[in-house]
Amino acid sequence: MADGKYFDLKIISPDRIFYEGRASMLELTTSEGEIGIYKKHIPLTALIEPGIVTITEENGKKTAAVHTGFLEVLPDKVTILAETIEWPEEIDLHRAQEAKMRAEKRLEAKDANINTKRAEIALRRALVRIELTEKNKK
């Protein structure tokens, strides 16, 4: 392994250490937009938005759905504290499609009693799960 281009990556969720290993690149969505991280990236902290995380390892790429969290980047180490994160095989596609339909109905109703922000977040989570599951089938 050409150690010079790899950094330590640790992804932690409330219920487990989701990932711990070496990566040459990490791609994800933050509150400021899409970001790609290589070794020796400038120190950074950011809020993670729902999206697909792509981890590039020596033997290929791994993808996961993340649904919010915090990112800390140091020159040789990256840590993600994720509220929820899932590998593609952990996602129930049928359940994600149903969640998408429920969220869309809530948003279309334009009911004053509906928490619009919450419905938008639920829709984004469902869309990320569906996108990752469908990408993984190919």
Side-chain angles (χ1 to χ4, degrees), residues 49-114:
E49 294 288 321
I52 295 175
V53 172
T54 303
I55 303 164
T56 303
E57 300 176 308
E58 183 177 26
N59 298 322
K61 293 184 179 189
K62 290 184 177 182
T63 55
V66 66
H67 302 296
T68 61
F70 298 96
L71 169 70
E72 178 190 47
V73 179
L74 299 173
D76 290 333
K77 181 181 177 184
V78 176
T79 304
I80 293 176
L81 301 176
E83 176 190 329
T84 306
I85 188 162
E86 306 160 295
W87 295 116
E89 59 273 10
E90 296 173 330
I91 295 171
D92 181 335
L93 180 59
H94 180 69
R95 185 173 168 212
Q97 290 167 333
E98 287 178 344
K100 175 183 175 273
M101 288 188 293
R102 282 192 308 273
E104 287 173 338
K105 280 184 184 178
R106 280 189 233 125
L107 290 169
E108 289 170 4
K110 299 189 191 300
D111 184 341
N113 296 322
I114 297 291

Side-chain angles (χ1 to χ4, degrees), residues 121-138:
I121 291 169
L123 178 59
R124 181 72 185 126
R125 287 178 177 206
L127 290 171
V128 167
R129 285 179 170 128
I130 292 165
E131 179 185 354
L132 180 61
T133 303
E134 289 176 351
K135 241 186 207 184
N136 200 49
K137 285 181 182 177
K138 295 178 183 177

